[in-house]
Amino acid sequence: MTTALFTTERLLPRVYEELRRLATHKIANEAPCQTLQPTALVHEAWLRLSRSKEQPVWQNRAHFFGAAAEAMRRILIENARRKQRLKRGGQLERVSIEEVDLPLPMPDEELLALDEALARLAAFDARAADVVKLCFFVGLTQEQAAQELGVSVSTAERLWAFARAWLFREMQKERSSSL
């Protein structure tokens, strides 16, 4: 390009493919969970560059590409920050649904009986009830439940064993009395 000044509208058709290559390179260096596509990155950067109230006039290619690279960097940073927010899962790891073992659905009557027995267990031993809620309903391991409750793994295992036996006995009593 010559030393003439260029407006944003005149520059895009001339540099679009080059911007796409630059965006592809930038995204290739990002984490594999990056959801932003090169085309979307170029378009978002372009919008930011052309959205300013005063249309920028680029002195040369280096001036334009420097601004485009900075816009792309900011977009990628904002995207990474958005993903890191606790509201959006923070540091949680994505897990494929195929890898998760979902429990078989429990018949409604049994679920209601379990809920009633769990309410009685919570009155008797709140920590045991919490372990049941975390392990049975949430699907955490006993190690994970122990971490969430701030107890040792052996304590969580004992609470889990106690709670299962207690709930089984309570649910058996309820079945016997309803027959």
Side-chain angles (χ1 to χ4, degrees):
M1 289 186 192
T2 63
T3 58
L5 300 177
F6 293 98
T7 62
T8 306
E9 293 81 30
R10 288 185 51 210
L11 201 51
L12 180 63
R14 296 178 182 194
V15 296
Y16 183 79
E17 284 305 314
E18 224 169 321
L19 283 174
R20 280 242 323 105
R21 279 192 295 279
L22 201 128
T24 301
H25 177 70
K26 280 200 175 289
I27 288 178
N29 293 328
E30 293 291 316
C33 63
Q34 178 61 259
T35 56
L36 197 58
Q37 296 297 315
T39 302
L41 180 59
V42 168
H43 290 185
E44 181 63 28
W46 186 259
L47 285 173
R48 289 185 183 196
L49 290 172
S50 62
R51 204 182 286 159
S52 67
K53 292 181 182 170
E54 294 177 19
Q55 276 295 317
V57 178
W58 310 105
Q59 298 167 0
N60 54 33
R61 288 174 58 88
H63 182 217
F64 173 77
F65 279 104
E70 179 64 18
M72 287 183 201
R73 182 188 70 81
R74 287 182 182 178
I75 292 164
L76 291 171
I77 296 295
E78 289 167 7
N79 197 33
R81 283 187 180 136
R82 180 182 46 80
K83 286 181 180 181
Q84 292 298 314
R85 287 190 197 122
L86 289 177
K87 175 176 144 181
R88 303 210 183 271
Q91 295 293 328
L92 297 179
E93 181 180 331
R94 289 182 185 247
V95 177
S96 171
I97 191 71
E98 289 84 26
E99 297 173 8
V100 176
D101 291 328
L102 297 174
L104 294 175
M106 184 180 260
D108 289 343
E109 310 83 47
E110 285 186 41
L111 185 59
L112 292 172
L114 175 61
D115 181 57
E116 290 172 9
L118 189 57
R120 290 191 299 275
L121 175 62
F124 182 75
D125 188 338
R127 282 195 323 172
D130 289 341
V131 170
V132 171
K133 291 172 189 173
L134 291 172
C135 292
F136 184 78
F137 290 103
V138 177
L140 297 182
T141 64
Q142 289 149 15
E143 292 82 14
Q144 293 167 326
Q147 185 177 8
E148 289 299 315
L149 295 173
V151 298
S152 69
V153 174
S154 58
T155 298
E157 289 170 346
R158 280 192 300 276
L159 288 168
W160 176 244
F162 164 73
R164 287 177 55 200
W166 197 92
L167 290 169
F168 179 76
R169 188 186 73 217
E170 287 295 307
M171 290 175 69
Q172 291 292 18
K173 281 186 207 177
E174 198 169 302
R175 282 191 195 127
S176 298
S177 67
S178 65
L179 293 176

